[in-house]
Amino acid sequence: MATYVIVGAGLAGAKAAQTLREEGFDGDIVLIGAETERPYERPPLSKDYLQGKSEREKIFVHAPEWYADNGVDLRLGLRATRIELDHHVVRLGDGSRQPYDKLLIATGAVPRRLPGPAYYLRTVEDSEALKAHFAAGASVLVVGASWIGLETAAAAREAGCAVTVVEPEPTALNRALGPELGDLFARLHAGKGVDLRFGTAAAEITDSGVRLSSGERLSADLVVVGIGAAPEVWLARDAGLEVVQGIRTDAALRTSHPDVYAAGDVAEFFHPRYGRHLRVEHWANALHGGPAAARSMLGQEVVYDRLPYFYTDQYELGMEFSGDIEGYDEIVYRGDPGRLEFVVYWLRGGRVIAGMNVNVWDVVDDIQELIRSGVIVDQKELSKE
């Protein structure tokens, strides 16, 4: 009987295990996670759960009994320390050896860190610690106007905390959305009383706050760092798998070894539409990438070509984004950005390459279909409400 091992008990790993069973795999499934919590979803940690609007049990991927009921050997609080490709074995932190016939690496990513005393938001424990501080009315300094940084700032502000955001880029989300839409998010937070400091970096984090690259010192009860995440690739790199920005895979999520696959934040997969490798850190990639990798492990024909997708909720703004803005040369709006109810399209050479709907719902499929079509659009028609 075959044994399939999944290293990484997050959303991608849990959904891969579920898919293996749903697709009829009757061998052994071993799901190994370094955290002590069973697999859970991370978006609520910086959204509803952080704001106290969601119960803890709702963040988990499956009920506690699901794993035993479905024959999934869930091993928590256990870190994989080495992959021996020649022997098809994963060495574990307790000294044991776990053989496999096929292996999925779904180890995710870890926050990029700065020296000094700071909080980060990646785990459920991180979210609970921040929630307690926010409830106590702490003054909060957020380093990084990233998605995590801004969602954290919004949660802190809605809890009544004084909030400052420090960002070396000229505006919020500059690399993710470009300056035009980044400015919209900056105005949103400024309107809620957030003190935004753009064009300056955190040179030093201290017990009392932050010293900026300009020399100015800002005091705060706690500092939260949200400057992105790095894929947890060391296990794959040490094993000799191909690693660039992430663990390199083909469009079927196979790594450079035929019996090893990668999915989720850690995977840098070849995307046929873009003709290049992408690494996507957002929830939807874990949700869909895990099942795609599972089907590929089963020998099914898989081409993982979903468009990048993510969403955010900040104050009264909810939005969904699809595509990739790289190389855009024009922006077209449908609706009024000033009312925070609109759709925006990024174009390159007259074709839509990305779209974002803000407080407009049930349009994601249409936006993605337009991106996939590759047609040259009539901008006047595109902007009509």
Side-chain angles (χ1 to χ4, degrees), residues 142-161:
V142 179
V143 178
S146 61
W147 293 115
I148 288 289
L150 293 185
E151 288 177 356
T152 302
R157 194 71 193 98
E158 292 202 316
C161 300

Side-chain angles (χ1 to χ4, degrees), residues 3 15 50 211 214-215 231 237 245 247 282 289 296 319 323 348:
T3 298
K15 283 296 185 180
L50 181 58
R211 178 176 62 83
S214 63
R237 181 180 285 121
Q245 298 301 319
I247 302 173
H282 301 290
S296 189
M319 80 82 173
R348 183 176 62 226

Side-chain angles (χ1 to χ4, degrees), residues 182-339:
D183 280 346
L184 181 144
F185 279 87
R187 292 194 301 271
L188 173 69
H189 281 264
K192 299 296 182 179
V194 176
D195 181 6
L196 299 167
R197 304 294 185 97
F198 294 121
T200 187
E204 181 185 13
I205 299 174
T206 68
D207 290 334
S208 59
V210 167
R211 178 176 62 83
L212 301 181
S213 54
S214 63
E216 182 181 4
R217 292 184 178 272
L218 300 177
S219 61
D221 294 324
L222 70 152
V223 176
V224 184
V225 176
I227 56 172
E232 199 160 12
V233 298
W234 64 269
L235 195 64
R237 181 180 285 121
D238 289 353
L241 296 172
E242 184 181 5
V243 173
V244 185
Q245 298 301 319
I247 302 173
R248 276 280 172 107
T249 79
D250 61 13
L253 300 179
R254 290 181 293 249
T255 71
S256 53
H257 190 285
D259 293 329
V260 182
Y261 301 74
D265 293 1
V266 77
E268 186 185 10
F269 62 97
F270 183 79
H271 199 296
R273 172 170 189 81
Y274 296 107
R276 57 186 171 89
H277 285 82
L278 299 180
R279 193 177 73 83
V280 180
E281 293 179 358
H282 301 290
W283 162 85
N285 183 46
L287 178 69
H288 299 293
R295 295 186 180 98
S296 189
M297 292 169 79
L298 293 171
Q300 298 179 18
E301 194 69 31
V302 171
V303 178
Y304 187 61
D305 62 354
R306 298 188 70 92
L307 292 173
Y309 166 90
F310 60 91
Y311 70 97
T312 192
D313 297 299
Q314 299 173 34
Y315 311 110
E316 69 274 15
L317 183 151
M319 80 82 173
E320 299 170 285
F321 176 95
S322 299
D324 185 339
I325 70 168
E326 183 175 294
Y328 80 93
D329 50 35
E330 288 185 89
I331 291 179
V332 175
Y333 295 92
R334 175 180 292 174
D336 181 6
R339 291 189 291 111

Side-chain angles (χ1 to χ4, degrees), residues 348-361:
R348 183 176 62 226
R351 295 175 171 84
V352 176
I353 59 171
M356 181 173 75
N357 46 299
V358 177
N359 292 336
V360 176
W361 308 112

